[in-house]
Amino acid sequence: FYLAMVLLLMSIMTLMLGAFLGFHLYITARGMTTNEYFKWKEVRKWYKKATKQYQKAVQDGKVGVSVSNNSSSSSVDKGGISDDTDIGCTGPMNTTTSNSSGGTTTATTSTTTTNKKKNDIEEEIMDPGPFPQNIYDHGIIENFKEVIYPRSTRPNAIKRWVDWHKTEERLHQHTKTEEQKRREDVDVVNGKTKAI
């Protein structure tokens, strides 16, 4: 009976550790840490959702596929907002302009129009573009080399660290000697003798 329980426990632990090892081999092959894996998972989820929304909007005719550089259509592409409209945290703001007779004209909109523009801006659907690439993914072989033989232990990295360390020590030594000279000058001015 005890032997069967031990074998059951061992088989469950083998499955759990095998899954754990498999997951870490997968993220290593992809050039990610565990934290980055979950962040990329969120990016993939957002990208799929944004792509679906964009494709649906193109099918419904809400979004044009081609982008025009024509200045007359720029206000249409931006949801009716011209280039000189002040955009605040809550959407387009009321603006005051001066007219040719020297008076000022205040452009006001009703709250329903402002809310409509706000909703149009919030619901604006944009093409998400190509999926972003992980800049740390150099291929399976290079990723495993990075784990087994990290760049920080490679000769050129060690040389850079040693050079940096020597420079820091020189700067520290220079600062230390300057401080000692300043103290000696102060001691001489105060009439104290140097300590040997």
Side-chain angles (χ1 to χ4, degrees):
F1 177 73
Y2 292 114
L3 184 60
M5 294 302 285
V6 168
L7 289 175
L8 179 65
L9 178 67
M10 285 175 50
S11 60
I12 291 172
M13 290 300 291
T14 300
L15 290 174
M16 299 287 280
L17 289 174
F20 183 76
L21 175 66
F23 172 71
H24 281 85
L25 289 174
Y26 169 75
I27 63 173
T28 301
R30 300 290 306 265
M32 292 185 275
T33 63
T34 310
N35 186 26
E36 289 169 342
Y37 169 77
F38 288 105
K39 288 180 180 179
W40 277 104
K41 190 175 177 180
E42 289 297 316
V43 169
R44 269 192 301 280
K45 191 187 314 181
W46 168 84
Y47 183 78
K48 285 180 183 178
K49 181 181 174 185
T51 304
K52 281 182 183 178
Q53 285 179 344
Y54 179 72
Q55 289 172 349
K56 186 174 186 303
V58 168
Q59 285 178 344
D60 294 345
K62 294 179 181 177
V63 177
V65 178
S66 64
V67 176
S68 171
N69 291 334
N70 189 353
S71 61
S72 64
S73 66
S74 64
S75 64
V76 175
D77 294 339
K78 297 175 189 173
I81 301 170
S82 65
D83 289 338
D84 59 346
T85 302
D86 184 21
I87 305 294
C89 295
T90 59
M93 307 296 286
N94 294 339
T95 58
T96 304
T97 58
S98 59
N99 59 19
S100 60
S101 63
T104 59
T105 306
T106 304
T108 59
T109 57
S110 66
T111 56
T112 57
T113 308
T114 305
N115 288 340
K116 183 180 176 191
K117 286 184 181 179
K118 182 179 176 184
N119 290 338
D120 288 344
I121 292 169
E122 287 175 357
E123 294 174 7
E124 184 177 345
I125 298 171
M126 297 175 59
D127 182 9
F131 188 76
Q133 298 297 314
N134 181 359
I135 62 171
Y136 300 107
D137 186 4
H138 300 290
I140 295 173
I141 294 171
E142 287 299 317
N143 291 341
F144 278 103
K145 276 185 190 177
E146 179 72 26
V147 170
I148 294 167
Y149 188 45
R151 292 180 186 184
S152 60
T153 61
R154 296 178 187 173
N156 60 350
I158 292 172
K159 182 184 180 311
R160 281 195 317 265
W161 183 84
V162 168
D163 292 344
W164 172 83
H165 189 63
K166 286 179 182 176
T167 304
E168 286 294 312
E169 279 191 355
R170 271 189 250 124
L171 287 173
H172 181 70
Q173 200 66 338
H174 178 70
T175 307
K176 192 175 179 181
T177 56
E178 289 293 322
E179 181 68 22
Q180 285 175 346
K181 286 180 185 177
R182 188 184 65 75
R183 285 184 185 165
E184 289 172 359
D185 292 342
V186 169
D187 287 346
V188 170
V189 169
N190 292 335
K192 296 180 182 175
T193 58
K194 296 180 185 176
I196 297 178

